[in-house]
Amino acid sequence: MDLESVIYNKNPIKEQSWKTVLTLAYQSLGVVYGDLSTSPLYVYKSTFAEDIQHSETNEEIFGVLSFVFWTLTLIPLLKYVFIVLRADDNGEGGTFALYSLLCRHARVGLLPSTQLADEDLTQYTIDGGGTVQDNKKSNVGSGLKLKSLLEKHKVLQRVLLVLALIGTCMVIGDGVLTPAISVFSAVSGLELSMSKEQHRYVEVPVACVILLFLFALQHYGTHRVGCLFAPVVLTWLLCISAIGVYNIFHWNPHVYQALSPYYMFKFLRKTQKGGWMSLGGILLCITGSEAMYADLGHFSQLSIKIAFTFLVYPSLILAYMGQAAYLSRHHEMESDYRIGFYVSVPRLLRWPVLAIAILQAVVGSQAVITGTFSIIKQCSALGCFPKVKIIHTSSKIHGQIYIPEINWSLMLLCLAIVVGFRDTKRMGNAAGLAVITVWLAVCFILFFGSIEALYFSASLIKFLEGAWVPIALSFIFLIAMYVWHYGTLKKYEFDVQNKVPINWLLGLGPNLGIVRVKGIGLIHTELVSGIPAIFSHFVTNLPAFHQVVIFLCIKSVPVPHVRPEERFLVGRVGPKEYRLYRCIARYGYRDVHKDDMEFEKDLVCSVAEFIRSDTSEYGLGLGNFEDDTKMTVVGTSASNLEGVKMSIDDDQEDPCPQAEGTSELRVVKSPIIRKRVRFVVPDSPQIDLEAREELHELMEAKEAGMAFIMGHSYVRAKSGSSWIKKVVINYGYDFLRRNSRGPTYALSIPHASTLEVGMIYHV
């Protein structure tokens, strides 16, 4: 699976034609606006659920319409389209995109394995600007003061991390609540064709069946049905806008007057506390608008702005105006549950609209579920979430992933919400609080912050009526994520403090004091420099060790993507004759990790390319070995067209003569060896005999096989620690570690080739 060409071929958005921009705008309908476009199904119904009543004066319905209009105008249109979308991280958006931007440009990141070499990555620049050092020189005034303040105070750094985690946790909570309320509200259209008693026993089972079907299809990937998402959303938007226009002209052409802010004042003056409490339902009109920023990396700023400004926004306004126009002429409802979307739909169109609404609810829910998978992947990459199994469901579409554990957890929680609440009112209270808390985590303190604080207070007052759900879910996720981050940080600090000194290694000699057998020993470590303590355990307790040893560190850097030509950092540990190498594979938080076989090939080729191009001199004094941070940037085999190539033949004989223009290093084995490894080395520059011999040994080791060696750590709080730290480390972190996944590249290695050594960490 190689998505790297897909990722980097889409970057120059600014140079795309208008045809491409409009195509992206059309495609964004199904991915970005699926959730937001579903909101007319439940906004009025949630708002009028209990706190206010629809009266003959129409002050309530017109006031709600005015609130909806100005909320949609100020938050998604003004805030997101004109302001927030500009704060991108090399084209990527979302809470963690902003946090990673701070991590590398204000040096407030809590990622422990950062290196100076990471600052040379292409995407460390801002919109094609200079490096971090260049940007530091250009910072003046308040920006420089704020940056200096963040760099000096650890407390502020942790506050930033907690805010990022809170926003992330609320997005995950939204992934539970949005499918529940969207599908439940869409199915509620059945209420107009049956009695309330019958409807009570039909609505919940039908919603549960649709949710089961939705989550069961996740492992197939959205790319199989993704082509239908945009047409469904487009059909839905045209449908609700057409119905809105019909209701406006047929029932109340003067409804446009309610768009005046004066009606908000009249609404609050009449309803007072009830009106304030109903703002939590009004807030649902912008549910899903954060996807405009979170999904920025899949499209372009211009395409998202065009889709919202010229289609989504006017369609939603017309839909809400149409519902208000209808309700302004219909005051005698049989019960409050009839104040909803479907009552304003003409009778002849209700069944077709019901079918479209259910499809729209599924599309909107799918977008939220996919977004939840994406943000959990980012959190895991940045060390803030336990390792989970991530499956890439498409080899062509970037970002299409599936996480089984999260999928089934979301399904169970969604079903619990539907079965437990059984009405839109409490689901709306819960969803409203989840939505507004996401924004409060990254809000603008002055103008927009005051608007969102108003909605937040109205949602929080409904705590016992359903709003406790997102708080409880977010609290659980927040504790788990912070415990994982804290435990990972302490474990890394322990590794750094217990590194093996280079003098110990030099004292063993080239053979390390044991027998060196053919093969590659791949030792997983989190360290980016130094010799991990686990290596001394291997050497002192094993009678033999591999001919070639590679200390492998796979780390994430605070950028969206690392280019393939900058993927690896390769260097030596000790003198050449020791055959000890360090390889650091760097990935951005949105990067796609290759499958195991291709990664193994790239890894070996990167070491081979390093051997070929290495010009350092070893052997004169200890000073040459004390600093193992000097490393060479090596790209993947696909990106390094002029580098060393590796081929593996199943043939027992040597059918390939020496290729013209290249020199080949080959190893001939007995007929019992089925696979042969060959390195094809470019003619220029010529390599010396010592390097050829080193490549020869690497090939022999690769043919003999590769063993994956990792430490099985047992992390415990050291004696004298506080009881809180003991609970967090001994129970919390230990539970998460035992239930998390190991490195993905080790999953395909046979168990006979895997060696685990237990170690106890006292942190």
Side-chain angles (χ1 to χ4, degrees):
M1 178 184 345
D2 188 4
L3 298 184
E4 290 172 337
S5 59
V6 178
I7 295 172
Y8 293 104
N9 285 339
K10 74 175 185 71
N11 276 344
I13 295 292
K14 296 180 181 178
E15 300 178 1
Q16 292 179 340
S17 64
W18 275 104
K19 180 180 179 181
T20 304
V21 171
L22 293 177
T23 301
L24 288 173
Y26 170 73
Q27 293 174 348
S28 71
L29 293 176
V31 177
V32 178
Y33 300 109
D35 185 16
L36 180 62
S37 303
T38 313
S39 57
L41 287 171
Y42 45 78
V43 168
Y44 283 125
K45 189 172 183 178
S46 299
T47 305
F48 287 92
E50 184 178 66
D51 302 306
I52 57 176
Q53 300 295 325
H54 180 37
S55 66
E56 296 283 345
T57 63
N58 288 328
E59 289 184 356
E60 294 85 1
I61 188 64
F62 287 164
V64 171
L65 173 60
S66 184
F67 265 105
V68 168
F69 171 76
W70 286 105
T71 302
L72 279 170
T73 302
L74 292 177
I75 303 298
L77 183 62
L78 183 58
K79 175 181 175 179
Y80 277 95
V81 170
F82 292 104
I83 300 177
V84 174
L85 289 181
R86 297 176 180 272
D88 66 295
D89 181 12
N90 287 285
E92 300 290 343
T95 304
F96 263 84
L98 283 178
Y99 180 68
S100 68
L101 203 61
L102 287 172
C103 281
R104 64 181 191 267
H105 293 295
R107 299 184 182 275
V108 300
L110 297 181
L111 293 174
S113 57
T114 55
Q115 296 173 279
L116 288 176
D118 297 335
E119 298 183 5
D120 295 328
L121 291 170
T122 303
Q123 291 211 353
Y124 248 82
T125 59
I126 305 179
D127 294 332
T131 62
V132 175
Q133 289 79 5
D134 296 331
N135 291 321
K136 287 183 69 176
K137 296 177 182 178
S138 63
N139 283 322
V140 294
S142 60
L144 184 58
K145 293 179 180 178
L146 177 61
K147 184 176 178 181
S148 176
L149 185 67
L150 291 173
E151 291 177 358
K152 290 180 180 179
H153 295 85
K154 290 286 185 182
V155 174
L156 293 180
Q157 297 179 21
R158 297 188 183 280
V159 169
L160 279 176
L161 174 64
V162 171
L163 286 176
L165 293 182
I166 290 175
T168 300
C169 291
M170 282 299 179
V171 171
I172 298 174
D174 197 27
V176 174
L177 295 166
T178 295
I181 191 173
S182 298
V183 173
F184 192 86
S185 300
V187 173
S188 66
L190 296 171
E191 66 190 11
L192 298 179
S193 60
M194 59 184 68
S195 65
K196 190 171 184 179
E197 289 72 20
Q198 293 174 325
H199 175 254
R200 183 182 304 170
Y201 296 104
V202 172
E203 189 175 29
V204 173
V206 172
C208 289
V209 169
I210 294 176
L211 287 172
L212 283 170
F213 179 76
L214 173 64
F215 284 99
L217 291 180
Q218 292 301 310
H219 70 280
Y220 291 108
T222 57
H223 68 285
R224 300 183 185 275
V225 291
C227 58
L228 301 177
F229 285 4
V232 168
V233 177
L234 179 60
T235 303
W236 170 252
L237 290 173
L238 295 177
C239 177
I240 61 175
S241 58
I243 294 174
V245 171
Y246 168 79
N247 286 330
I248 291 171
F249 285 97
H250 187 266
W251 296 110
N252 190 350
H254 300 289
V255 72
Y256 68 89
Q257 296 175 355
L259 303 182
S260 169
Y262 175 67
Y263 282 86
M264 292 191 291
F265 170 74
K266 292 179 63 177
F267 170 79
L268 293 176
R269 183 179 61 183
K270 179 179 180 180
T271 58
Q272 297 182 0
K273 181 180 178 181
W276 170 64
M277 294 177 66
S278 69
L279 294 180
I282 297 174
L283 173 67
L284 297 176
C285 70
I286 49 177
T287 300
S289 57
E290 67 276 2
M292 299 168 63
Y293 185 50
D295 293 328
L296 182 60
H298 300 297
F299 303 96
S300 64
Q301 289 187 24
L302 184 58
S303 63
I304 290 178
K305 291 178 180 179
I306 289 175
F308 181 80
T309 306
F310 296 102
L311 179 59
V312 178
Y313 176 75
S315 297
L316 291 176
I317 297 299
L318 288 174
Y320 288 117
M321 289 178 64
Q323 290 184 61
Y326 177 87
L327 293 173
S328 68
R329 295 291 186 264
H330 297 80
H331 302 93
E332 296 181 0
M333 301 292 176
E334 294 181 12
S335 60
D336 59 353
Y337 77 91
R338 301 258 180 176
I339 301 181
F341 170 77
Y342 290 102
V343 72
S344 64
V345 178
R347 291 184 178 274
L348 294 177
L349 299 177
R350 282 179 181 172
W351 285 106
V353 170
L354 175 64
I356 299 173
I358 292 176
L359 289 176
Q360 169 64 26
V362 170
V363 171
S365 302
Q366 177 62 64
V368 173
I369 294 169
T370 302
T372 304
F373 291 160
S374 177
I375 200 166
I376 287 178
K377 177 182 179 294
Q378 294 178 39
C379 292
S380 180
L382 293 176
C384 294
F385 200 88
K387 301 297 182 183
V388 291
K389 183 179 182 181
I390 298 176
I391 300 173
H392 298 276
T393 58
S394 174
S395 60
K396 297 180 179 179
I397 304 177
H398 169 59
Q400 297 294 337
I401 61 175
Y402 168 65
I403 306 177
E405 298 93 336
I406 300 300
N407 180 67
W408 302 122
S409 299
L410 291 178
M411 184 193 74
L412 293 176
L413 291 172
C414 279
L415 294 177
I417 294 294
V418 172
V419 174
F421 284 168
R422 294 174 175 264
D423 62 57
T424 311
K425 170 193 166 186
R426 286 182 288 180
M427 291 185 196
N429 293 338
L433 186 58
V435 170
I436 195 61
T437 311
V438 172
W439 292 327
L440 284 175
V442 290
C443 71
F444 300 107
I445 297 176
L446 298 177
F447 181 62
F448 293 108
S450 61
I451 298 174
E452 291 156 345
L454 177 66
Y455 283 122
F456 180 75
S457 62
S459 299
L460 197 60
I461 202 69
K462 302 290 188 68
F463 185 81
L464 297 178
E465 301 176 25
W468 61 270
V469 173
I471 296 294
L473 290 175
S474 299
F475 182 76
I476 293 172
F477 278 107
L478 178 63
I479 293 298
M481 293 168 71
Y482 197 85
V483 165
W484 179 263
H485 180 80
Y486 177 78
T488 303
L489 192 63
K490 290 300 180 183
K491 180 176 176 293
Y492 185 84
E493 291 175 356
F494 180 89
D495 284 334
V496 172
Q497 294 169 1
N498 291 271
K499 291 190 296 186
V500 177
I502 192 68
N503 290 340
W504 173 84
L505 179 68
L506 296 174
L508 296 177
N511 289 329
L512 304 180
I514 55 178
V515 178
R516 302 291 291 269
V517 297
K518 291 182 178 180
I520 296 178
L522 196 62
I523 301 179
H524 175 258
T525 177
E526 301 293 336
L527 295 177
V528 295
S529 64
I531 303 171
I534 195 173
F535 182 67
S536 64
H537 285 261
F538 296 145
V539 173
T540 55
N541 292 282
L542 296 178
F545 212 69
H546 298 87
Q547 176 185 8
V548 174
V549 176
I550 301 176
F551 296 102
L552 174 63
C553 172
I554 294 188
K555 73 169 192 174
S556 296
V557 290
V559 295
H561 304 287
V562 175
R563 293 183 175 275
E565 57 268 25
E566 301 172 326
R567 175 72 66 215
F568 296 102
L569 288 175
V570 186
R572 297 186 186 276
V573 180
K576 287 185 178 181
E577 59 268 22
Y578 280 55
R579 301 300 188 249
L580 301 179
Y581 307 95
R582 183 185 310 283
C583 185
I584 300 174
R586 302 179 293 182
Y587 289 91
Y589 57 82
R590 282 191 178 270
D591 268 334
V592 176
H593 290 228
K594 291 186 174 182
D595 59 50
D596 307 301
M597 297 305 296
E598 190 171 357
F599 177 82
E600 181 182 317
K601 178 181 177 182
D602 281 343
L603 177 65
V604 176
C605 283
S606 68
V607 176
E609 176 62 22
F610 167 75
I611 294 172
R612 182 185 74 88
S613 58
D614 183 29
T615 58
S616 59
E617 295 292 337
Y618 289 87
L620 298 176
L622 286 177
N624 295 295
F625 312 128
E626 290 177 351
D627 183 13
D628 65 347
T629 60
K630 297 178 180 178
M631 308 189 76
T632 302
V633 177
V634 181
T636 61
S637 56
S639 65
N640 192 5
L641 300 179
E642 298 181 356
V644 177
K645 302 297 180 183
M646 182 178 69
S647 63
I648 301 177
D649 297 330
D650 293 331
D651 215 345
Q652 295 179 1
E653 298 180 358
D654 183 16
C656 300
Q658 181 169 325
E660 183 177 355
T662 63
S663 60
E664 296 186 0
L665 296 172
R666 295 181 293 177
V667 179
V668 180
K669 291 291 184 181
S670 61
I672 61 173
I673 301 298
R674 292 187 175 182
K675 292 187 179 295
R676 289 184 303 174
V677 177
R678 296 183 299 166
F679 286 139
V680 180
V681 183
D683 273 342
S684 178
Q686 294 290 337
I687 59 176
D688 56 27
L689 183 61
E690 187 178 5
R692 293 173 66 89
E693 181 182 350
E694 195 172 357
L695 283 173
H696 190 279
E697 290 187 21
L698 181 62
M699 284 190 300
E700 284 185 326
K702 181 65 179 72
E703 280 192 349
M706 180 178 292
F708 180 74
I709 305 165
M710 65 183 300
H712 193 76
S713 58
Y714 298 90
V715 183
R716 294 290 181 268
K718 58 186 176 183
S719 59
S721 301
S722 64
W723 68 269
I724 296 179
K725 183 176 180 180
K726 290 180 180 179
V727 170
V728 169
I729 296 296
N730 296 351
Y731 299 99
Y733 181 74
D734 184 66
F735 173 80
L736 294 174
R737 183 197 56 78
R738 286 188 285 107
N739 289 277
S740 64
R741 302 235 173 199
T744 56
Y745 52 83
L747 298 179
S748 67
I749 298 177
H751 291 289
S753 301
T754 304
L755 177 63
E756 290 191 39
V757 175
M759 288 189 64
I760 298 179
Y761 288 70
H762 292 284
V763 299

